[in-house]
């Protein structure tokens, strides 16, 4: 694999087109609604990433993860994090141990000066992310609700939603023992 790690504004239109297709193919099998945000050349679903790590092989994009610095609030306490999202591995490469190569983002997280990486995943991915945690890269927390802003303001829905997702924490500049305890995380924006 060849990794390309860089700022969002370094991407060309052709990169966005290729990423949009990658996400439609990656997320589409989990439900048509999950592929919908990536119509046309849109390569982000909610909040737009600040950094991207994109893995390529001879068949094109093999994997992707996006990063965005933001403040979240855990039971009233503000915390700077790098949100990790838009995670995906091409379906023909699943189960081959490729996810461990996402360690390529650790130097970027350190460069960003954040104490923690933070992300959420569906409970169905618990076994997958737990494997990553065995190497000490991350910790998976359950029983935490996460409030996010909807991508669009709609007349028939509230402006936020609350998910019971698994919370993924990557200790970067501080130990995991410094992660605040709490039962509610306010993302204060759209999910990455």
């Amino acid at each position: 694999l060849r990794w390309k790690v860089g700022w969002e504004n370094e991407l060309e239109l052709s990169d966005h087109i290729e990423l949009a297709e990658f996400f439609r193919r990656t997320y589409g099998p989990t439900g048509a609604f999950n592929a919908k945000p990536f119509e046309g050349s849109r390569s982000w679903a909610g909040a737009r990433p600040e950094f991207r790590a994109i893995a390529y092989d001879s068949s094109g994009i093999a994997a992707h993860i996006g990063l965005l610095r933001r403040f979240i609030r855990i039971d009233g306490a503000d915390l700077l994090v790098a949100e990790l999202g838009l995670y995906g591995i091409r379906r023909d490469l699943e189960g081959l141990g490729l996810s461990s190569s996402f360690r390529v983002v650790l130097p970027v997280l350190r460069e960003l000066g954040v104490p923690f990486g933070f992300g959420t995943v569906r409970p169905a991915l618990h076994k997958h992310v737990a494997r990553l945690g065995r190497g000490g890269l991350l910790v998976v927390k359950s029983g935490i609700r996460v409030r996010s802003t909807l991508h669009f303001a709609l007349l028939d829905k509230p402006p936020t939603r609350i998910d019971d997702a698994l919370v993924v924490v990557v200790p970067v500049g501080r130990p995991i023992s410094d992660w605040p305890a709490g039962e509610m995380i306010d993302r204060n924006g759209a999910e990455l």
Side-chain angles (χ1 to χ4, degrees), residues 92-126:
D92 63 314
L93 299 173
E94 290 177 354
L96 300 177
L98 179 64
S99 57
S100 65
S101 68
F102 278 108
R103 293 179 185 276
V104 71
V105 301
L106 287 177
V108 175
L109 292 172
R110 289 185 191 106
E111 180 184 315
L112 293 175
V114 295
F116 300 101
F118 154 81
T120 58
V121 296
R122 293 172 292 136
L125 293 175
H126 186 257

Side-chain angles (χ1 to χ4, degrees), residues 123-137:
L125 293 175
H126 186 257
K127 288 182 182 178
H128 178 71
V129 294
R131 283 195 302 264
L132 286 172
R134 284 189 296 224
L137 176 64

Side-chain angles (χ1 to χ4, degrees), residues 3 19 22-23 26-27 30 38 43 45 49 52-53 61-67 83-91 93-95 97-103 105 119-122 125 127-132 137-138 168 191-192:
W3 281 92
L19 282 165
F22 169 78
F23 289 127
T26 301
Y27 295 153
T30 65
F38 306 104
S43 65
R52 292 182 187 251
I61 295 177
H64 176 277
I65 191 164
L67 294 84
E83 183 170 355
L84 308 170
L86 290 171
Y87 168 77
I89 295 175
R90 202 173 62 228
R91 295 185 90 54
L93 299 173
E94 290 177 354
L98 179 64
S99 57
S100 65
S101 68
F102 278 108
R103 293 179 185 276
V105 301
T120 58
V121 296
R122 293 172 292 136
L125 293 175
K127 288 182 182 178
H128 178 71
V129 294
R131 283 195 302 264
L132 286 172
L137 176 64
L138 56 85
V168 176
E191 181 179 10
L192 181 60

Side-chain angles (χ1 to χ4, degrees), residues 74-75 119-123 126 139-147 162-168 179-185:
I74 303 176
D75 284 355
T120 58
V121 296
R122 293 172 292 136
H126 186 257
V139 174
V140 180
K141 297 182 170 280
S142 60
I144 301 172
R145 296 175 18 204
V146 180
R147 182 174 38 216
I162 297 177
D163 294 313
D164 292 317
L166 295 174
V167 172
V168 176
W179 179 263
E183 296 178 5
M184 172 65 86
I185 294 176

